[in-house]
Amino acid sequence: MFYVSTPIYYVNDAPHLGHAYTTVAGDVLTRWHRQRGEQVWYLTGTDEHGQKIMRTAEANGVTPQEWSDKLVEEAWKPLWQHLEIANDDFIRTTEKRHTERVQEFVQDLYDKGEIYKGGYEGPYCVGCEEFKTPGDLLEGDLCPIHKRPVEWLREDNYFFKLSEYGERLLEFYEANPDFIQPASARNEVLQFVRTGLQDLSISRSTFDWGIPIPWDDKHVIYVWVDALLNYATAVGYGSDPERFERIWPADVHLVGKDILRFHAVIWPAMLMANGLPLPGKVFANGWLMVGGEKMSKSNLTGISPRQLTEHFGVDAYRYYFLRAIPFGQDGSFSWEDFSARYTSELANDFGNLASRVAAMIGKYFDGELPASAEREEAVAGALAATVAKADRAIGDELDFAGGLGAIFDFVKLVNGYLSEQEPWKVAKDTSEEGRARLATILYTAAESLRAVAVLLNPVMPGTAEKLWASLGAEEHLGALAEQRVAEAGQWGRLPAGARVVKGEILFPRLES
Ligand code: MSP
């Protein structure tokens, strides 16, 4: 089973562009693998315990549970639906299926002697829900990520013996060089672990919005230990061994780079301590930036995913961020850049190609796809190479920008082919050879679009579906979702005789 997870998001606020970025990436990755014909499990959810949520709820005069319920149902789930996220499950950390299993997991570590009671004091950032090392702080004792003052916390807590796992972790990274990606993220973690790990405080006793420590109910479990375990509890850890066996472990944990250490250090150490198999990969994506700062609720200046989808449409939204920003690097959002790509790549290169080809087949062949007299080797060869490249980039390397770049280079190539062949001129030649030539040109273009629909389906499912319908492909080849990536590059699948109709415009002109 190809199992992919997103971080579970804090429900202190509504989702913004940064959250949607990771969730869309995971959706494209998993749709791609489904289209390879693999069994796939895509998990997302919400992180609902801890001080941050508790304080937000208090400030709004409701209980943390009421607050979480409201945000999950009114903000998070509806946005994922709106963005066509095809997750297989949605886990909330306040669900019983989670809380009970988390207690069992922690109890198990306690029984194994991995947890002891101790005291700790240090600067704590509630935004990160993390103790900071004094050396990491900015001037004025500000958290380097949230740029807000940290709090001094002194508590008697339970500790996990994380410090004992440094060597084993380094050996594991060594033996699994692809475990942490991209390379910059891997290097950061290696350096961090090499400097030596401290034991991890895994309980809190100064507030109670969390899962009680099973052997000492004056403490609640540290929100990060609780949260990380969602990846296990959601797929049947401790409750459904058969299911757990089938899905576990995750192939890819997608995370933002700010939460890399939790996933690449603490999480594997917890699993080692418990004796569970470790995940295949932790991939850290970069940040969406605004004015040189990590985009966050406070500096969003009012842009929400829905404002962008209203203007550009859902499919263009899903496309834009993955195409414009190399996955793993930071990137800025700007209306100008989005508009420019929309117009040149989506509307002109791709949308116009689809409507021109359908229009010409309508005009010259009454909408019936003609048989091709010969095979255009240059186009067919370019298609096969494109499929191989996109499959490796998107499916294996999570290089969405590279994969989409390859697909759109092919779209450009087909445009170039039409400009060169000038079918509108060939159409004036009514001789048998002229008709045969025209048939070859238009068949070649339509067959190319057939493949493009398959390749773009994971990224822009609505648009790909429209194109599939306009090519009359379903009747002969079946549902678009059933098309396999491996077959996309085989030339000549769309049969002569398919009913081609000029469908609606794929990417309408933007309103100014
Ligand atoms: N609840 C934890 C994750 C627990 S996972 C076991 C958390 N939640 S969060 O809501 O604060 O952030 C979730 C994810 O959103 C993180 O991966 C974070 O990197 C990502 N992003 C938040 N702002 C972002 C950008 N501006 N750009 C890209 N991703 C961003 O951390």
Side-chain angles (χ1 to χ4, degrees):
M1 183 81 79
F2 186 68
Y3 171 23
V4 177
S5 69
T6 72
I8 50 172
Y9 301 99
Y10 286 129
V11 288
N12 58 312
D13 229 320
H16 62 59
L17 298 178
H19 307 124
Y21 178 55
T22 313
T23 306
V24 168
D27 192 56
V28 170
L29 176 65
T30 44
R31 283 177 183 261
W32 191 275
H33 278 255
R34 282 195 201 101
Q35 220 162 282
R36 276 182 178 177
E38 295 171 21
Q39 299 274 6
V40 169
W41 196 257
Y42 185 34
L43 175 68
T44 190
T46 42
D47 193 351
E48 306 184 3
H49 290 129
Q51 245 166 315
K52 178 151 72 177
I53 312 293
M54 198 183 75
R55 287 184 186 174
T56 308
E58 273 167 7
N60 285 276
V62 291
T63 66
Q65 187 66 61
E66 284 165 347
W67 177 260
S68 302
D69 290 349
K70 184 176 156 66
L71 264 102
V72 167
E73 294 306 327
E74 292 175 14
W76 290 85
K77 284 184 174 173
L79 179 68
W80 299 152
Q81 235 168 15
H82 174 65
L83 295 179
E84 308 247 18
I85 305 302
N87 52 303
D88 296 285
D89 193 2
F90 186 107
I91 183 144
R92 300 181 52 182
T93 54
T94 50
E95 288 172 314
K96 233 174 157 175
R97 62 167 169 158
H98 177 73
T99 55
E100 288 179 352
R101 303 288 94 73
V102 168
Q103 287 188 315
E104 283 166 19
F105 186 98
V106 172
Q107 179 74 53
D108 178 65
L109 293 196
Y110 189 60
D111 295 343
K112 286 182 167 131
E114 297 283 345
I115 290 173
Y116 65 92
K117 199 168 185 178
Y120 192 82
E121 62 181 300
Y124 190 85
C125 171
V126 175
C128 297
E129 294 280 16
E130 186 185 19
F131 275 109
K132 299 282 166 187
T133 30
D136 287 344
L137 299 180
L138 304 178
E139 219 177 277
D141 288 346
L142 303 183
C143 162
I145 292 173
H146 288 89
K147 311 272 163 39
R148 281 199 299 261
V150 294
E151 301 175 22
W152 195 262
L153 215 64
R154 185 185 184 316
E155 276 191 73
D156 283 337
N157 290 330
Y158 289 99
F159 284 81
F160 167 52
K161 296 177 178 170
L162 181 64
S163 62
E164 294 182 0
Y165 286 87
E167 276 311 306
R168 278 178 70 186
L169 285 167
L170 289 170
E171 279 165 26
F172 177 74
Y173 304 146
E174 180 82 22
N176 299 276
D178 294 337
F179 176 65
I180 304 166
Q181 286 183 349
S184 54
R186 176 181 157 85
N187 292 337
E188 186 213 302
V189 170
L190 287 183
Q191 212 174 349
F192 174 72
V193 176
R194 280 190 193 123
T195 58
L197 296 174
Q198 291 189 356
D199 288 346
L200 177 73
S201 161
I202 59 139
S203 75
R204 295 283 180 276
S205 57
T206 49
F207 66 95
D208 64 359
W209 180 235
I211 304 175
I213 289 271
W215 62 88
D216 182 349
D217 62 10
K218 285 188 280 308
H219 292 251
V220 292
I221 295 168
Y222 174 40
V223 62
W224 265 103
V225 169
D226 165 353
L228 287 163
L229 282 165
N230 90 86
Y231 304 128
T233 60
V235 297
Y237 167 78
S239 66
D240 187 344
E242 183 273 324
R243 185 157 166 265
F244 187 68
E245 181 73 19
R246 198 156 38 86
I247 304 180
W248 188 265
D251 292 82
V252 184
H253 288 306
L254 292 176
V255 302
K257 65 178 185 179
D258 48 326
I259 58 171
L260 174 65
R261 285 181 196 176
F262 292 102
H263 286 82
V265 181
I266 296 175
W267 177 228
M270 282 166 60
L271 294 172
M272 283 173 177
N274 184 272
L276 285 174
L278 304 195
K281 194 192 293 299
V282 175
F283 197 109
N285 63 242
W287 287 337
L288 297 189
M289 312 287 279
V290 185
E293 296 265 330
K294 174 178 176 238
M295 183 182 290
S296 67
K297 191 64 195 182
S298 48
N299 68 8
L300 261 184
T301 54
I303 312 166
S304 79
R306 284 181 195 269
Q307 266 171 289
L308 294 186
T309 60
E310 254 163 47
H311 188 65
F312 295 103
V314 166
D315 276 1
Y317 179 91
R318 292 171 56 100
Y319 169 79
Y320 171 70
F321 291 98
L322 295 179
R323 175 69 189 96
I325 306 166
F327 203 59
Q329 294 177 26
D330 293 347
S332 299
F333 160 78
S334 84
W335 285 89
E336 293 72 24
D337 187 50
F338 197 160
S339 305
R341 279 194 190 269
Y342 180 98
T343 301
S344 77
E345 293 165 15
L346 298 179
N348 292 349
D349 290 353
F350 176 36
N352 278 353
L353 174 66
S355 60
R356 270 197 306 156
V357 170
M360 285 191 282
I361 293 173
K363 185 164 169 196
Y364 304 132
F365 292 95
D366 283 334
E368 186 174 315
L369 186 66
S372 178
E374 58 204 309
R375 176 176 155 128
E376 297 283 41
E377 292 301 342
V379 180
L383 173 64
T386 301
V387 173
K389 199 166 167 192
D391 191 27
R392 191 172 354 101
I394 297 175
D396 297 333
E397 295 166 356
L398 284 76
D399 173 12
F400 301 102
L404 287 170
I407 298 168
F408 275 77
D409 282 346
F410 177 69
V411 168
K412 271 198 167 63
L413 179 136
V414 178
N415 275 314
Y417 169 79
L418 285 181
S419 323
E420 242 171 61
Q421 300 298 325
E422 303 183 305
W424 46 93
K425 283 192 187 155
V426 178
K428 297 199 175 108
D429 175 356
T430 52
S431 72
E432 208 170 302
E433 289 101 78
R435 288 293 287 172
R437 187 66 208 141
L438 185 61
T440 297
I441 299 167
L442 293 181
Y443 180 86
T444 302
E447 170 62 355
S448 299
L449 285 169
R450 187 269 315 157
V452 169
V454 176
L455 296 176
L456 289 181
N457 189 41
V459 188
M460 300 190 273
T463 303
E465 200 62 63
K466 284 182 200 158
L467 178 56
W468 197 246
S470 125
L471 294 169
E474 177 132 359
E475 191 192 329
H476 303 276
L477 300 175
L480 178 56
E482 298 306 317
Q483 307 304 307
R484 295 290 160 254
V485 173
E487 294 162 352
Q490 291 167 5
W491 192 257
R493 292 183 61 79
L494 192 62
R499 292 299 313 167
V500 178
V501 290
K502 202 173 169 213
E504 59 185 295
I505 296 200
L506 296 183
F507 297 98
R509 196 183 287 277
L510 294 174
E511 319 228 330
S512 56

